[in-house]
Amino acid sequence: MVTEKQSTGSAVWREIRGLLWVLLAVLMFHSFIAKPFYIPSESMMPVLLKGDRLVVSKYPYGWSWVSPSFHLLPHWQGRLLGKMPKRGDVVIVTPPGSNEDYIKRVIGIPSDSVEVRRGRLFLNGEMVKWERRQPAMVPVDANAPCGIEFSGFLVDGPNGQQFCRLPIVRETLPGGVSYDTIDLGQSQGDDYGPVTVGPGQVFLMGDNRDRSADSRFAAGPPDNGLGGPVPWENIGGRAEFLTFSLDGTTKLLNPVSWFEALRGGRAGNSLRPQQDARPAEATR
């Protein structure tokens, strides 16, 4: 005869088992289909701001040791059902020797020669087409304070609103993929290479060219870069679109602040690179 205590214990175990199955399903989805990602820095401005939340799809390039959440698997070379990222894709990458995730743009693919001269990007010996665009007017908030790293770019707008007025250069890669970068002036990464991207590697850069630890910089402290071209198995997925963005004023115990901190006009923005119908002429 089943006692009341046994019946209660069985019901609790069923609940626990059900929660474990739900947790496993979530982890599987995060690891092999898609997962949310939070932008913690300014390295991909102007397309991405600190405080943005986005969706990263896991399957476009196949799967590797970095695909599972928390990078629990041992390192192995190559990818399952692998497909090389395209130039211009925005991807999640795990730096060699690290368990962190960075977000950068694919600039070079296998056999490409990548070089930066006085801030201008060269691929295979040819200057990438570029043109200056109107400055980006980024509203100042707690997550985008226009601080010392953007010294001299703070301006006042209408109604007392302050903005970071950031100089924009649009690059157009071979094939017509275009995206905006920030050019703040001379910086350490303005002269680099040339280096040749090896088989099974990609060369990655941030769009905020003067404030990005990427393939131009050594891995580990103090530069915390990617140490050159990165093995393609270190690519964790492709950034797809923004879900929402927060200005940094949320308070954990105040649900009203969660809504007040939402930045308008960012939800749903695609992160897939644009195909420029009118490629820019190289400006010297």
Side-chain angles (χ1 to χ4, degrees), residues 26 114 134 208 282:
V26 170
V114 181
Q134 289 295 316
N208 187 0

Side-chain angles (χ1 to χ4, degrees), residues 107-127:
I107 298 297
I109 56 178
S111 79
D112 279 344
S113 172
V114 181
E115 184 178 5
V116 183
R117 302 180 199 165
R118 291 186 293 179
R120 297 281 75 84
L121 176 63
F122 286 73
L123 278 180
N124 303 316
E126 297 289 331
M127 184 189 291

Side-chain angles (χ1 to χ4, degrees), residues 26-170:
V26 170
L27 287 174
M28 293 291 288
F29 187 88
H30 277 204
S31 297
F32 301 108
I33 306 299
K35 75 168 188 176
F37 190 81
Y38 164 72
I39 302 300
S41 73
E42 298 85 10
S43 71
M44 281 297 291
M45 291 175 69
V47 66
L48 289 171
L49 303 179
K50 182 179 178 180
D52 284 348
R53 270 67 170 179
L54 53 93
V55 169
V56 173
S57 58
K58 293 297 191 77
Y59 54 85
Y61 313 129
W63 297 272
S64 74
W65 71 276
V66 300
S67 296
S69 298
F70 313 115
H71 309 318
L72 297 176
L73 296 181
H75 180 98
W76 79 77
Q77 292 186 336
R79 303 187 74 91
L80 178 65
L81 302 177
K83 183 179 179 182
M84 185 60 64
K86 297 178 181 179
R87 294 193 196 101
D89 284 356
V90 177
V91 300
I92 304 301
V93 59
T94 302
S98 171
N99 286 321
E100 292 183 85
D101 285 329
Y102 288 11
I103 184 164
K104 304 295 176 186
R105 190 179 296 276
V106 177
I107 298 297
I109 56 178
S111 79
D112 279 344
S113 172
V114 181
E115 184 178 5
V116 183
R117 302 180 199 165
R118 291 186 293 179
R120 297 281 75 84
L121 176 63
F122 286 73
L123 278 180
N124 303 316
E126 297 289 331
M127 184 189 291
V128 166
K129 296 176 179 178
W130 66 278
E131 64 178 343
R132 295 199 178 275
R133 292 290 181 101
Q134 289 295 316
M137 302 293 284
V138 179
V140 170
D141 58 36
N143 272 337
C146 205
I148 191 170
E149 67 273 22
F150 299 114
S151 179
F153 295 97
L154 182 66
V155 298
D156 293 323
N159 303 319
Q161 171 72 57
Q162 289 187 313
F163 293 86
C164 231
R165 189 177 186 271
L166 300 175
I168 298 298
V169 169
R170 168 159 287 200

